Amino acid sequence: MKTIIFHENTIAHSPSNRYIVQFLRKYVEKIESMEEYELDDEMIEFYISLSATTNMSPMDAGVCFKTYTLDKEQYMRIVLQEEQLTISHGTTGLLTWEAGLFLSDFFVEHPDIIRDKNVIELGSGCGLAGFTCAAMGAANVLCTDVNGNVLHILEDNRKLNPSIVDKIQVADLDWEDTNECARLSKDVDVVIGSDILYDPTIVPLLVGALKTIVVSSQQVAYITAAFRNPDTFALFLRLIDETEVLGKSVMDLSETQLTTFCRVNPMDSIRLILITRK
């Protein structure tokens, strides 16, 4: 753990003290529940000292760095700037959500799905899933969003990761722009998206974009979503069926243990939807 907290890259791009305290709290609880491990005294002293001097108010807004490690040896790292508030600048896209962790973890566990493939991410947010695909061997990844603040932080995050920067492009994509969706479809093998089913008003636009982009039986879309509103989720599945050209399968990941990342909210129920052309 000390190699994570005190790693030179973590120090250079440090998360907020509030995030470090929250992270270490989960870490301490996990280690204490495992008889075969003992807590490091230096780490405990650091945790206690930081806890005593850190404002844990959720209203402590602002951007901080987060480092995601994709392997146990910690050679593969993704550094992202993220907001600390759930909603900032009128959008929820400036932090990584639970469904994004699951989708990223899925590609770490199954890299053959995206290896040497051209990937497009819809509603990228901070970019974790797309960046993970690039790190796990995708040929090219196009991270897309429509919010100006999100696109700005996406571009900044791309530059923070020199090992994969040349594989990633950032682009503005409005799902209503069928011409642009059709143009992008020509160079896409895999479509990904996470936590983009939260608003029923945009679900028809998402389905329209998927119908326009996924035009070949060789193309597959992987969408993860937190199962918060059954009506919105049912709407998405119904509209997929009504296209008459898209097929779907749904996997319940609720009991799945993340192997790469720590869960932010264990109460969230996560679904993975695979979408193909019939």
Side-chain angles (χ1 to χ4, degrees), residues 103 191 193 197 220-225 233 236-237 240 247-251 253 271-275:
L103 188 59
V191 182
L197 305 181
V220 184
Y222 297 84
I223 310 293
T224 52
F233 192 79
F236 177 69
L237 298 184
I240 289 291
K248 70 181 187 311
S249 60
V250 181
M251 299 172 58
L253 302 182
R271 303 290 193 274
L272 171 65
I273 309 102
L274 275 64
I275 299 169

Side-chain angles (χ1 to χ4, degrees), residues 200-267:
T201 64
I202 65 172
V203 168
L205 301 179
L206 172 59
V207 173
L210 289 169
K211 181 181 177 181
T212 305
I213 296 173
V214 181
V215 295
S216 163
S217 60
Q218 303 301 310
Q219 297 171 310
V220 184
Y222 297 84
I223 310 293
T224 52
F227 192 71
R228 300 187 185 97
N229 187 325
D231 292 339
T232 302
F233 192 79
L235 172 65
F236 177 69
L237 298 184
R238 177 171 61 80
L239 292 180
I240 289 291
D241 289 338
E242 289 180 0
T243 67
E244 298 184 348
V245 296
L246 295 178
K248 70 181 187 311
S249 60
V250 181
M251 299 172 58
D252 186 350
L253 302 182
S254 301
E255 302 301 323
T256 301
Q257 296 295 319
L258 291 179
T259 58
T260 306
F261 305 114
C262 295
R263 293 199 66 173
V264 176
N265 184 4
M267 300 304 293

Side-chain angles (χ1 to χ4, degrees), residues 39-88:
L39 289 164
D40 180 83
D41 289 340
E42 182 182 357
M43 184 60 65
I44 287 295
E45 289 179 8
F46 174 75
Y47 168 57
I48 292 174
S49 175
L50 194 63
S51 298
T53 58
T54 298
N55 177 11
M56 297 301 293
S57 168
M59 297 307 293
D60 184 18
V63 173
C64 71
F65 293 100
K66 292 184 182 179
T67 299
Y68 298 87
T69 58
L70 306 186
D71 61 332
K72 293 181 179 179
E73 293 76 20
Q74 302 169 37
Y75 295 131
M76 300 173 65
R77 291 167 167 258
I78 293 175
V79 179
L80 300 180
Q81 296 180 81
E82 298 189 17
E83 260 290 349
Q84 298 179 69
L85 290 180
T86 301
I87 300 177
S88 179

Side-chain angles (χ1 to χ4, degrees), residues 130-249:
F131 287 27
T132 297
C133 288
M136 299 309 298
N140 294 284
V141 179
L142 180 64
C143 295
T144 70
D145 214 292
V146 72
N147 181 280
N149 290 301
V150 173
L151 290 168
H152 180 76
I153 205 168
L154 257 178
E155 180 60 29
D156 286 347
N157 285 340
R158 186 182 75 88
K159 295 173 182 176
L160 283 173
N161 294 273
S163 64
I164 55 176
V165 64
D166 292 336
K167 289 186 173 186
I168 299 171
Q169 288 82 44
V170 173
D172 182 347
L173 179 62
D174 187 334
W175 297 342
E176 290 187 278
D177 190 341
T178 55
N179 290 332
E180 183 64 7
C181 288
R183 186 187 70 80
L184 294 174
S185 173
K186 300 174 183 178
D187 300 315
V188 170
D189 302 305
V190 178
V191 182
I192 67 172
S194 63
D195 226 327
I196 50 179
L197 305 181
Y198 58 90
D199 183 353
T201 64
I202 65 172
V203 168
L205 301 179
L206 172 59
V207 173
L210 289 169
K211 181 181 177 181
T212 305
I213 296 173
V214 181
V215 295
S216 163
S217 60
Q218 303 301 310
Q219 297 171 310
V220 184
Y222 297 84
I223 310 293
T224 52
F227 192 71
R228 300 187 185 97
N229 187 325
D231 292 339
T232 302
F233 192 79
L235 172 65
F236 177 69
L237 298 184
R238 177 171 61 80
L239 292 180
I240 289 291
D241 289 338
E242 289 180 0
T243 67
E244 298 184 348
V245 296
L246 295 178
K248 70 181 187 311
S249 60

